Amino acid sequence: MKPSLILFSLLTLGLLIWGFHQAMFDAPTEATMGEIQRIFYYHAPSGFTAFACFFVNLVASLAYLKTRNMRLDALALASAQVGVMFCTIVLITGPLWARPVWGIWWTWDARLTSTLVLWLIYVSYLLLRRFSHAGTVPVLAAVLAVFGSVDSAFVYMSIRWFRTQHPQPVLGGSEDSGLAPPMLHAFFINLIAFTALGALLVWMRYLLERKQQRLEELHTLAAVGGAR
């Protein structure tokens, strides 16, 4: 394993431990929701990291369509895989938070429904990459990533465009929005930690995918040589 990867892994682990302590012990208990509000310190950073991964997937996919560079295809696949993982965390932590606060696990409002659709789009992306072996798969997947990016934008703007069960943005929302300084500090530490974790996982998956691509190239060359 590369020394830089080891160092970044240790840094990420330290940030995650620090973020956990901030969220569980240093941040004050929210007056209205109580202890369940602490899920926010994992729910929101997971959402941000998922969006960041899907954005990387979009950029890498568009660049692949232009250049057909397999490194970009590997980055697109790696970022989609990690993005789906964090989006899954969002869809799990959201209902866990909603049940005590709203009294329901789920409601089909614009934010929740569009997030589920986003998850389904990228799961479809991964299924396409996993089970289809046609030579055009990277191109088809890149086109699907463009559709996913449209829904990503809709998810982000949905609580601004529509009246939803989901609360308005905590940061950058109305005049009454915002967090107390200790809560804001805990949130940003976890945001950095989860972003670092997402970057680490994308990096590791990218390296594995590049190895897989090289093996496939060797197998193809061997098959061509054997045919001759």
Side-chain angles (χ1 to χ4, degrees):
M1 185 180 290
K2 295 182 178 180
S4 56
L5 186 59
I6 295 175
L7 288 174
F8 191 65
S9 300
L10 293 174
L11 174 62
T12 301
L13 178 61
L15 287 169
L16 289 169
I17 293 173
W18 186 19
F20 176 81
H21 190 276
Q22 287 286 318
M24 295 296 111
F25 303 106
D26 290 349
T29 302
E30 207 275 334
T32 304
M33 291 180 282
E35 296 292 347
I36 194 65
Q37 181 270 344
R38 296 184 190 277
I39 291 180
F40 165 77
Y41 301 111
Y42 298 94
H43 178 75
S46 294
F48 176 86
T49 306
F51 278 127
C53 288
F54 294 149
F55 179 75
V56 172
N57 171 262
L58 172 65
V59 173
S61 297
L62 292 174
Y64 172 79
L65 288 174
K66 181 177 180 179
T67 65
R68 297 298 195 269
N69 188 314
M70 294 306 293
R71 292 177 182 271
L72 294 168
D73 182 59
L75 178 59
L77 177 57
S79 56
Q81 290 171 333
V82 177
V84 166
M85 184 193 77
F86 279 100
C87 192
T88 303
I89 295 174
V90 170
L91 290 172
I92 292 173
T93 55
L96 290 175
W97 187 5
R99 182 64 178 85
V101 177
W102 298 346
I104 54 174
W105 294 99
W106 183 268
T107 182
W108 295 98
D109 72 358
R111 167 56 71 89
L112 276 67
T113 304
S114 57
T115 302
L116 178 60
V117 170
L118 180 67
W119 183 83
L120 290 171
I121 289 173
Y122 280 98
V123 167
S124 300
Y125 175 99
L126 296 182
L127 290 174
L128 174 65
R129 300 299 301 257
R130 176 65 179 83
F131 294 108
S132 180
H133 302 287
T136 57
V137 166
V139 175
L140 294 174
V143 173
L144 184 57
V146 175
F147 285 101
S149 68
V150 174
D151 189 54
S152 295
F154 184 87
V155 172
Y156 179 77
M157 296 301 298
S158 59
I159 54 177
R160 294 169 172 83
W161 289 344
F162 304 100
R163 184 183 298 275
T164 67
Q165 182 74 34
H166 193 283
Q168 292 297 303
V170 175
L171 301 176
S174 63
E175 294 182 358
D176 297 329
S177 64
L179 291 170
M183 292 182 172
L184 189 63
H185 184 261
F187 168 72
F188 276 122
I189 295 300
N190 278 283
L191 185 65
I192 294 170
F194 273 61
T195 303
L197 178 60
L200 174 64
L201 294 175
V202 170
W203 187 1
M204 295 173 68
R205 283 297 302 128
Y206 169 79
L207 294 176
L208 289 174
E209 184 59 25
R210 285 296 295 158
K211 289 182 179 179
Q212 181 65 32
Q213 288 178 348
R214 294 188 189 100
L215 285 175
E216 291 176 356
E217 290 172 0
L218 290 174
H219 289 160
T220 301
L221 290 174
V224 171
R228 292 177 180 176

